[in-house]
Amino acid sequence: MATAGSSSSAASSLPRDWRRRSADVGGLHLALAASSSSGQGWMGGEGGDIETMYAELLSDMYNETLNSVNDNSLVSPPPPIPENVRDRLIRGLDKWDFEPHKLPDEEVLASTLLLFEALFRIDGMEDDVSLTMEQITAFIHHLRRIYRYENKYHNFEHALDVLQATQSYLKSAGLVPPPIILLQPADRRWVPPKFASGSLIASLGKRELFMLYVSAIGHDVGHPGFSNMFMKNAQAPLVVLFNHGSALEHMHCHLLLCMMRYHGFGVLLDDPLHGKHLRKLVHKSVLATDMGVHGKFMETLKSVVDGEQMSVCERQIVLCQAILKNADISNPVSTLSKHWATALIHEWTAQAHLEESYHLQQTVPVSFASYDPIKEADSQIFFIRTFARPLLELTQRAIPEMQMYTWHCRKNLEEWAGAWEEACSSSSEASPSRQCSPVMSPDPRSPPLPFQYHTAFPLTLPP
């Protein structure tokens, strides 16, 4: 941690509200104090001190995290869903074109729990993780309440979409059973096949698979609906606290770990033999979803694929990062790419209006508010060519069974290219003097004003 002297030179450039003040000594002590069972402080995801300019921000982060967790806890989870709905959801989860955004909230929650229930059909899984489905149920219902309902893209439906994609990748690789195993008797257990010697994916054990599922469903918890760049320009307290980058992803990780401990997952996180590795796996996997570190991660993944020597634990973490990153940007690979592309543009538009309200540098073009189909197709083509396809192709070298998803990605790229040509043709016929013409209706609701973000995690907002 930086000393008081090292932070004084930067204080003049920060808003007056965040000059050094008296810290909440109790909160700071709890944030840094060693856990009685693991020797790890709350912020010590990997056992090291966190670099921050102001000690009081660390205290604030701890207190706000506890507030978010405690204020959103449930006395008891809702009742189970009817059997006919359960069967329908199980069959839907078994398909790549699963559509979580079309489900009512209770079915979104039920679908999430079904994926964990199917995971627990793996022989020995419940014994290895030492948790029950009752604990998982309470955890998922609680987690859902900390995802912002107002977000168009970074919401719990997106989290379920990422979890289902993660499950699909692992199912294709033969590591987890298909969801339809839940249609069989409850005592039926699933045993994974034997893998060829030297298989990278075979290095993932039951604990790693469980933590990957948890990371997938919690990777965006507490997302405010705007980007790291917005917070940086607004000098939000969170970017002062995590001044080394990936501020949002650090927040997601710390909220998630706090939630896990709240529901008894400390039995895994503080396990004398596996705890440190499992905490690091969650931490590193969530941080890898920051697209700002994408290039660096691609280099790391390539070194693993090329056979660079590293420990089993390191290899497990890189594989989990690769699977979660692919799942997080799997929209261009799915048949629902149009829906998620539109949802993301809605969220970008809201951020653009928020930047205008705060008179900040524009990081999202306001032109997105017109929902121009040419710009939409152009952005998807760029994203697939630059990020999604290269990541998938490299991951396929580590996990050959992911070939079908690479095929879907290439097919979607062709479809977006066709949509771009069609939109250009329609635009030219409608108005030859213009390069593009919006054909999608804009969101009829008023653009979000700053007060509409009052449900966001407090430290993400400008002072």
Side-chain angles (χ1 to χ4, degrees), residues 263-313:
H263 289 279
F265 289 34
V267 68
L268 275 173
L269 298 174
D270 301 328
D271 179 85
L273 186 60
H274 306 286
K276 183 177 180 180
H277 167 58
L278 296 177
R279 289 195 306 273
K280 189 174 182 180
L281 188 150
V282 172
H283 189 256
K284 292 284 190 180
S285 296
V286 173
L287 289 185
T289 62
D290 178 8
M291 293 305 293
V293 300
H294 180 81
K296 184 177 180 181
F297 173 75
M298 290 291 284
E299 294 175 2
T300 303
L301 179 58
K302 187 176 186 303
S303 66
V304 171
V305 171
D306 289 342
E308 181 178 310
Q309 289 294 111
M310 60 178 63
S311 69
V312 173
C313 289

Short mmCIF file of all heavy atoms in Angstrom, two decimals, residues 263-313:
data_model
loop_
_atom_site.label_atom_id
_atom_site.label_comp_id
_atom_site.label_asym_id
_atom_site.label_seq_id
_atom_site.Cartn_x
_atom_site.Cartn_y
_atom_site.Cartn_z
N HIS A 263 -22.26 -16.95 2.39
CA HIS A 263 -23.07 -18.16 2.27
C HIS A 263 -22.29 -19.45 2.56
O HIS A 263 -22.71 -20.53 2.12
CB HIS A 263 -23.69 -18.21 0.87
CG HIS A 263 -24.77 -17.19 0.69
ND1 HIS A 263 -26.06 -17.39 1.14
CD2 HIS A 263 -24.75 -15.95 0.15
CE1 HIS A 263 -26.79 -16.31 0.87
NE2 HIS A 263 -26.02 -15.42 0.27
N GLY A 264 -21.18 -19.32 3.26
CA GLY A 264 -20.49 -20.51 3.74
C GLY A 264 -19.48 -21.12 2.79
O GLY A 264 -19.01 -22.24 3.02
N PHE A 265 -19.13 -20.39 1.71
CA PHE A 265 -18.16 -20.92 0.78
C PHE A 265 -16.73 -20.85 1.32
O PHE A 265 -15.79 -21.28 0.65
CB PHE A 265 -18.22 -20.16 -0.55
CG PHE A 265 -19.45 -20.43 -1.38
CD1 PHE A 265 -20.67 -20.67 -0.79
CD2 PHE A 265 -19.38 -20.41 -2.76
CE1 PHE A 265 -21.81 -20.89 -1.55
CE2 PHE A 265 -20.51 -20.64 -3.54
CZ PHE A 265 -21.73 -20.88 -2.92
N GLY A 266 -16.58 -20.30 2.52
CA GLY A 266 -15.26 -20.25 3.14
C GLY A 266 -14.66 -21.62 3.33
O GLY A 266 -13.43 -21.77 3.40
N VAL A 267 -15.51 -22.65 3.36
CA VAL A 267 -15.00 -24.02 3.48
C VAL A 267 -14.11 -24.37 2.29
O VAL A 267 -13.18 -25.19 2.42
CB VAL A 267 -16.19 -25.01 3.60
CG1 VAL A 267 -16.99 -25.07 2.30
CG2 VAL A 267 -15.72 -26.40 3.99
N LEU A 268 -14.34 -23.73 1.14
CA LEU A 268 -13.49 -23.90 -0.03
C LEU A 268 -12.40 -22.84 -0.07
O LEU A 268 -11.23 -23.13 -0.31
CB LEU A 268 -14.31 -23.82 -1.31
CG LEU A 268 -15.01 -25.09 -1.81
CD1 LEU A 268 -15.91 -24.74 -2.99
CD2 LEU A 268 -14.00 -26.14 -2.22
N LEU A 269 -12.80 -21.59 0.13
CA LEU A 269 -11.86 -20.48 0.00
C LEU A 269 -10.73 -20.54 1.02
O LEU A 269 -9.62 -20.07 0.76
CB LEU A 269 -12.60 -19.15 0.14
CG LEU A 269 -13.69 -18.85 -0.90
CD1 LEU A 269 -14.43 -17.57 -0.54
CD2 LEU A 269 -13.06 -18.72 -2.29
N ASP A 270 -11.02 -21.11 2.20
CA ASP A 270 -10.03 -21.15 3.26
C ASP A 270 -9.48 -22.56 3.51
O ASP A 270 -8.84 -22.80 4.53
CB ASP A 270 -10.63 -20.60 4.57
CG ASP A 270 -11.12 -19.17 4.40
OD1 ASP A 270 -10.51 -18.43 3.61
OD2 ASP A 270 -12.12 -18.79 5.05
N ASP A 271 -9.75 -23.46 2.57
CA ASP A 271 -9.23 -24.82 2.70
C ASP A 271 -7.69 -24.78 2.76
O ASP A 271 -7.05 -24.13 1.92
CB ASP A 271 -9.68 -25.66 1.50
CG ASP A 271 -9.16 -27.08 1.57
OD1 ASP A 271 -9.82 -27.90 2.22
OD2 ASP A 271 -8.10 -27.36 0.97
N PRO A 272 -7.08 -25.42 3.77
CA PRO A 272 -5.62 -25.35 3.93
C PRO A 272 -4.84 -25.81 2.71
O PRO A 272 -3.76 -25.29 2.41
CB PRO A 272 -5.36 -26.26 5.14
CG PRO A 272 -6.65 -26.32 5.88
CD PRO A 272 -7.72 -26.23 4.83
N LEU A 273 -5.39 -26.80 1.99
CA LEU A 273 -4.66 -27.36 0.85
C LEU A 273 -4.99 -26.66 -0.46
O LEU A 273 -4.09 -26.39 -1.27
CB LEU A 273 -4.98 -28.86 0.75
CG LEU A 273 -4.18 -29.65 -0.30
CD1 LEU A 273 -2.69 -29.57 0.00
CD2 LEU A 273 -4.65 -31.10 -0.33
N HIS A 274 -6.28 -26.33 -0.69
CA HIS A 274 -6.70 -25.82 -1.99
C HIS A 274 -7.15 -24.35 -1.98
O HIS A 274 -7.31 -23.75 -3.04
CB HIS A 274 -7.87 -26.66 -2.52
CG HIS A 274 -7.59 -28.13 -2.57
ND1 HIS A 274 -6.78 -28.69 -3.52
CD2 HIS A 274 -8.02 -29.15 -1.78
CE1 HIS A 274 -6.72 -30.00 -3.33
NE2 HIS A 274 -7.45 -30.31 -2.28
N GLY A 275 -7.37 -23.78 -0.80
CA GLY A 275 -8.00 -22.46 -0.70
C GLY A 275 -7.29 -21.36 -1.47
O GLY A 275 -7.93 -20.60 -2.22
N LYS A 276 -5.99 -21.24 -1.29
CA LYS A 276 -5.26 -20.15 -1.95
C LYS A 276 -5.37 -20.26 -3.46
O LYS A 276 -5.59 -19.25 -4.16
CB LYS A 276 -3.79 -20.18 -1.53
CG LYS A 276 -2.97 -19.03 -2.12
CD LYS A 276 -1.54 -19.05 -1.61
CE LYS A 276 -0.74 -17.90 -2.21
NZ LYS A 276 0.67 -17.90 -1.73
N HIS A 277 -5.26 -21.46 -3.98
CA HIS A 277 -5.37 -21.68 -5.44
C HIS A 277 -6.77 -21.34 -5.94
O HIS A 277 -6.92 -20.69 -6.98
CB HIS A 277 -5.03 -23.12 -5.76
CG HIS A 277 -5.40 -23.55 -7.14
ND1 HIS A 277 -4.91 -22.93 -8.29
CD2 HIS A 277 -6.23 -24.55 -7.59
CE1 HIS A 277 -5.42 -23.51 -9.37
NE2 HIS A 277 -6.22 -24.49 -8.97
N LEU A 278 -7.80 -21.73 -5.21
CA LEU A 278 -9.17 -21.49 -5.64
C LEU A 278 -9.52 -20.00 -5.58
O LEU A 278 -10.23 -19.49 -6.46
CB LEU A 278 -10.14 -22.30 -4.78
CG LEU A 278 -10.00 -23.82 -4.91
CD1 LEU A 278 -10.96 -24.53 -3.96
CD2 LEU A 278 -10.23 -24.27 -6.36
N ARG A 279 -9.03 -19.30 -4.56
CA ARG A 279 -9.24 -17.84 -4.51
C ARG A 279 -8.57 -17.17 -5.70
O ARG A 279 -9.13 -16.26 -6.32
CB ARG A 279 -8.68 -17.27 -3.20
CG ARG A 279 -9.44 -17.62 -1.95
CD ARG A 279 -9.05 -16.74 -0.77
NE ARG A 279 -7.63 -16.73 -0.51
CZ ARG A 279 -6.98 -17.59 0.27
NH1 ARG A 279 -7.66 -18.59 0.84
NH2 ARG A 279 -5.68 -17.50 0.47
N LYS A 280 -7.37 -17.62 -5.99
CA LYS A 280 -6.63 -17.04 -7.12
C LYS A 280 -7.33 -17.33 -8.43
O LYS A 280 -7.38 -16.47 -9.33
CB LYS A 280 -5.21 -17.60 -7.14
CG LYS A 280 -4.28 -16.91 -8.14
CD LYS A 280 -2.86 -17.43 -8.00
CE LYS A 280 -1.92 -16.71 -8.96
NZ LYS A 280 -0.52 -17.20 -8.82
N LEU A 281 -7.92 -18.52 -8.56
CA LEU A 281 -8.63 -18.88 -9.79
C LEU A 281 -9.82 -17.96 -10.03
O LEU A 281 -10.03 -17.47 -11.14
CB LEU A 281 -9.08 -20.34 -9.71
CG LEU A 281 -9.68 -20.97 -10.97
CD1 LEU A 281 -9.40 -22.46 -10.99
CD2 LEU A 281 -11.18 -20.74 -11.07
N VAL A 282 -10.61 -17.71 -8.98
CA VAL A 282 -11.75 -16.79 -9.10
C VAL A 282 -11.27 -15.39 -9.45
O VAL A 282 -11.77 -14.74 -10.38
CB VAL A 282 -12.57 -16.77 -7.79
CG1 VAL A 282 -13.64 -15.68 -7.85
CG2 VAL A 282 -13.22 -18.12 -7.54
N HIS A 283 -10.27 -14.94 -8.72
CA HIS A 283 -9.74 -13.59 -8.90
C HIS A 283 -9.21 -13.38 -10.32
O HIS A 283 -9.58 -12.43 -11.01
CB HIS A 283 -8.63 -13.37 -7.87
CG HIS A 283 -8.13 -11.97 -7.77
ND1 HIS A 283 -6.93 -11.57 -8.30
CD2 HIS A 283 -8.66 -10.86 -7.22
CE1 HIS A 283 -6.74 -10.28 -8.07
NE2 HIS A 283 -7.77 -9.82 -7.42
N LYS A 284 -8.36 -14.28 -10.77
CA LYS A 284 -7.74 -14.15 -12.09
C LYS A 284 -8.76 -14.33 -13.22
O LYS A 284 -8.68 -13.65 -14.26
CB LYS A 284 -6.62 -15.19 -12.24
CG LYS A 284 -5.41 -14.95 -11.36
CD LYS A 284 -4.56 -13.81 -11.89
CE LYS A 284 -3.23 -13.73 -11.16
NZ LYS A 284 -2.39 -12.62 -11.67
N SER A 285 -9.72 -15.22 -13.03
CA SER A 285 -10.72 -15.46 -14.08
C SER A 285 -11.59 -14.24 -14.29
O SER A 285 -11.86 -13.84 -15.42
CB SER A 285 -11.58 -16.68 -13.72
OG SER A 285 -10.81 -17.86 -13.67
N VAL A 286 -12.05 -13.64 -13.20
CA VAL A 286 -12.90 -12.45 -13.31
C VAL A 286 -12.11 -11.28 -13.89
O VAL A 286 -12.60 -10.55 -14.76
CB VAL A 286 -13.50 -12.08 -11.94
CG1 VAL A 286 -14.25 -10.75 -12.01
CG2 VAL A 286 -14.46 -13.18 -11.46
N LEU A 287 -10.87 -11.09 -13.45
CA LEU A 287 -10.06 -9.98 -13.97
C LEU A 287 -9.80 -10.14 -15.46
O LEU A 287 -9.68 -9.15 -16.19
CB LEU A 287 -8.73 -9.90 -13.22
CG LEU A 287 -8.77 -9.41 -11.78
CD1 LEU A 287 -7.36 -9.27 -11.22
CD2 LEU A 287 -9.50 -8.09 -11.65
N ALA A 288 -9.72 -11.37 -15.94
CA ALA A 288 -9.43 -11.61 -17.36
C ALA A 288 -10.57 -11.16 -18.26
O ALA A 288 -10.38 -11.01 -19.47
CB ALA A 288 -9.13 -13.08 -17.60
N THR A 289 -11.78 -10.93 -17.71
CA THR A 289 -12.90 -10.49 -18.54
C THR A 289 -12.79 -9.02 -18.92
O THR A 289 -13.58 -8.54 -19.74
CB THR A 289 -14.25 -10.73 -17.83
OG1 THR A 289 -14.30 -9.97 -16.61
CG2 THR A 289 -14.44 -12.21 -17.51
N ASP A 290 -11.84 -8.29 -18.35
CA ASP A 290 -11.60 -6.91 -18.77
C ASP A 290 -10.96 -6.92 -20.16
O ASP A 290 -9.85 -7.44 -20.33
CB ASP A 290 -10.67 -6.22 -17.76
CG ASP A 290 -10.33 -4.78 -18.14
OD1 ASP A 290 -10.93 -4.25 -19.10
OD2 ASP A 290 -9.46 -4.19 -17.47
N MET A 291 -11.65 -6.36 -21.14
CA MET A 291 -11.11 -6.37 -22.51
C MET A 291 -9.85 -5.52 -22.62
O MET A 291 -9.11 -5.64 -23.60
CB MET A 291 -12.17 -5.88 -23.49
CG MET A 291 -13.36 -6.82 -23.65
SD MET A 291 -12.88 -8.51 -24.10
CE MET A 291 -12.23 -8.24 -25.76
N GLY A 292 -9.59 -4.70 -21.62
CA GLY A 292 -8.37 -3.90 -21.62
C GLY A 292 -7.11 -4.73 -21.47
O GLY A 292 -6.01 -4.26 -21.79
N VAL A 293 -7.24 -5.97 -20.97
CA VAL A 293 -6.08 -6.84 -20.81
C VAL A 293 -6.12 -8.00 -21.81
O VAL A 293 -5.39 -8.98 -21.66
CB VAL A 293 -5.99 -7.38 -19.36
CG1 VAL A 293 -5.87 -6.24 -18.37
CG2 VAL A 293 -7.22 -8.25 -19.02
N HIS A 294 -6.97 -7.87 -22.84
CA HIS A 294 -7.17 -8.97 -23.78
C HIS A 294 -5.88 -9.35 -24.50
O HIS A 294 -5.55 -10.53 -24.62
CB HIS A 294 -8.23 -8.57 -24.81
CG HIS A 294 -8.52 -9.64 -25.82
ND1 HIS A 294 -9.36 -10.70 -25.56
CD2 HIS A 294 -8.05 -9.82 -27.10
CE1 HIS A 294 -9.42 -11.48 -26.63
NE2 HIS A 294 -8.63 -10.97 -27.57
N GLY A 295 -5.15 -8.36 -24.99
CA GLY A 295 -3.92 -8.64 -25.73
C GLY A 295 -2.91 -9.39 -24.90
O GLY A 295 -2.28 -10.36 -25.37
N LYS A 296 -2.74 -8.97 -23.66
CA LYS A 296 -1.79 -9.64 -22.76
C LYS A 296 -2.22 -11.06 -22.49
O LYS A 296 -1.38 -11.98 -22.45
CB LYS A 296 -1.67 -8.85 -21.46
CG LYS A 296 -0.64 -9.40 -20.50
CD LYS A 296 -0.52 -8.53 -19.25
CE LYS A 296 0.53 -9.08 -18.29
NZ LYS A 296 0.63 -8.26 -17.06
N PHE A 297 -3.54 -11.26 -22.31
CA PHE A 297 -4.01 -12.63 -22.05
C PHE A 297 -3.77 -13.53 -23.25
O PHE A 297 -3.42 -14.70 -23.10
CB PHE A 297 -5.49 -12.66 -21.68
CG PHE A 297 -6.02 -14.05 -21.56
CD1 PHE A 297 -5.72 -14.84 -20.46
CD2 PHE A 297 -6.76 -14.62 -22.60
CE1 PHE A 297 -6.16 -16.15 -20.37
CE2 PHE A 297 -7.21 -15.93 -22.51
CZ PHE A 297 -6.91 -16.69 -21.40
N MET A 298 -3.99 -13.01 -24.45
CA MET A 298 -3.77 -13.82 -25.65
C MET A 298 -2.34 -14.34 -25.72
O MET A 298 -2.09 -15.48 -26.12
CB MET A 298 -4.12 -13.01 -26.90
CG MET A 298 -5.60 -12.73 -27.08
SD MET A 298 -6.57 -14.21 -27.48
CE MET A 298 -6.12 -14.43 -29.21
N GLU A 299 -1.39 -13.52 -25.29
CA GLU A 299 0.00 -13.95 -25.26
C GLU A 299 0.19 -15.09 -24.25
O GLU A 299 0.90 -16.07 -24.52
CB GLU A 299 0.90 -12.77 -24.89
CG GLU A 299 0.92 -11.66 -25.95
CD GLU A 299 1.73 -10.45 -25.48
OE1 GLU A 299 2.29 -10.52 -24.36
OE2 GLU A 299 1.79 -9.46 -26.22
N THR A 300 -0.46 -14.96 -23.09
CA THR A 300 -0.36 -16.00 -22.07
C THR A 300 -0.97 -17.31 -22.54
O THR A 300 -0.39 -18.39 -22.37
CB THR A 300 -1.06 -15.54 -20.77
OG1 THR A 300 -0.48 -14.32 -20.32
CG2 THR A 300 -0.93 -16.60 -19.68
N LEU A 301 -2.16 -17.22 -23.15
CA LEU A 301 -2.82 -18.42 -23.64
C LEU A 301 -2.00 -19.10 -24.73
O LEU A 301 -1.89 -20.33 -24.77
CB LEU A 301 -4.22 -18.07 -24.17
CG LEU A 301 -5.05 -19.23 -24.74
CD1 LEU A 301 -5.24 -20.33 -23.71
CD2 LEU A 301 -6.39 -18.73 -25.26
N LYS A 302 -1.39 -18.30 -25.59
CA LYS A 302 -0.56 -18.87 -26.66
C LYS A 302 0.62 -19.64 -26.08
O LYS A 302 1.01 -20.71 -26.58
CB LYS A 302 -0.07 -17.78 -27.61
CG LYS A 302 0.66 -18.32 -28.85
CD LYS A 302 1.05 -17.20 -29.79
CE LYS A 302 1.65 -17.76 -31.09
NZ LYS A 302 2.82 -18.63 -30.84
N SER A 303 1.20 -19.11 -25.01
CA SER A 303 2.33 -19.80 -24.40
C SER A 303 1.91 -21.15 -23.82
O SER A 303 2.67 -22.13 -23.89
CB SER A 303 2.96 -18.93 -23.30
OG SER A 303 2.07 -18.76 -22.21
N VAL A 304 0.67 -21.22 -23.27
CA VAL A 304 0.17 -22.50 -22.76
C VAL A 304 -0.07 -23.48 -23.90
O VAL A 304 0.32 -24.65 -23.84
CB VAL A 304 -1.14 -22.28 -21.97
CG1 VAL A 304 -1.78 -23.62 -21.61
CG2 VAL A 304 -0.87 -21.48 -20.71
N VAL A 305 -0.70 -22.99 -24.97
CA VAL A 305 -1.00 -23.84 -26.12
C VAL A 305 0.28 -24.34 -26.77
O VAL A 305 0.36 -25.48 -27.25
CB VAL A 305 -1.86 -23.06 -27.14
CG1 VAL A 305 -1.99 -23.84 -28.45
CG2 VAL A 305 -3.23 -22.76 -26.57
N ASP A 306 1.31 -23.50 -26.76
CA ASP A 306 2.59 -23.87 -27.37
C ASP A 306 3.43 -24.78 -26.49
O ASP A 306 4.54 -25.16 -26.87
CB ASP A 306 3.39 -22.61 -27.72
CG ASP A 306 2.78 -21.84 -28.88
OD1 ASP A 306 1.96 -22.44 -29.62
OD2 ASP A 306 3.11 -20.65 -29.06
N GLY A 307 2.91 -25.10 -25.29
CA GLY A 307 3.59 -26.08 -24.45
C GLY A 307 4.60 -25.52 -23.47
O GLY A 307 5.44 -26.26 -22.97
N GLU A 308 4.52 -24.21 -23.17
CA GLU A 308 5.45 -23.63 -22.21
C GLU A 308 5.29 -24.30 -20.85
O GLU A 308 4.19 -24.55 -20.40
CB GLU A 308 5.21 -22.13 -22.09
CG GLU A 308 6.16 -21.42 -21.14
CD GLU A 308 5.92 -19.92 -21.09
OE1 GLU A 308 5.85 -19.31 -22.18
OE2 GLU A 308 5.79 -19.39 -19.97
N GLN A 309 6.40 -24.57 -20.19
CA GLN A 309 6.37 -25.25 -18.90
C GLN A 309 5.79 -24.32 -17.83
O GLN A 309 6.21 -23.18 -17.69
CB GLN A 309 7.77 -25.68 -18.49
CG GLN A 309 8.33 -26.84 -19.32
CD GLN A 309 7.54 -28.12 -19.09
OE1 GLN A 309 6.84 -28.59 -19.98
NE2 GLN A 309 7.63 -28.67 -17.90
N MET A 310 4.82 -24.83 -17.09
CA MET A 310 4.25 -24.11 -15.95
C MET A 310 3.58 -25.12 -15.04
O MET A 310 3.36 -26.27 -15.42
CB MET A 310 3.25 -23.04 -16.41
CG MET A 310 2.06 -23.55 -17.20
SD MET A 310 0.90 -22.22 -17.65
CE MET A 310 1.93 -21.20 -18.69
N SER A 311 3.25 -24.68 -13.83
CA SER A 311 2.65 -25.60 -12.87
C SER A 311 1.23 -25.96 -13.29
O SER A 311 0.60 -25.27 -14.10
CB SER A 311 2.61 -24.96 -11.48
OG SER A 311 1.68 -23.88 -11.46
N VAL A 312 0.72 -27.05 -12.73
CA VAL A 312 -0.65 -27.48 -13.02
C VAL A 312 -1.63 -26.39 -12.61
O VAL A 312 -2.59 -26.10 -13.33
CB VAL A 312 -0.97 -28.80 -12.30
CG1 VAL A 312 -2.45 -29.16 -12.47
CG2 VAL A 312 -0.10 -29.93 -12.83
N CYS A 313 -1.40 -25.78 -11.46
CA CYS A 313 -2.30 -24.72 -10.97
C CYS A 313 -2.33 -23.54 -11.94
O CYS A 313 -3.40 -22.99 -12.22
CB CYS A 313 -1.87 -24.25 -9.59
SG CYS A 313 -2.17 -25.46 -8.27
#
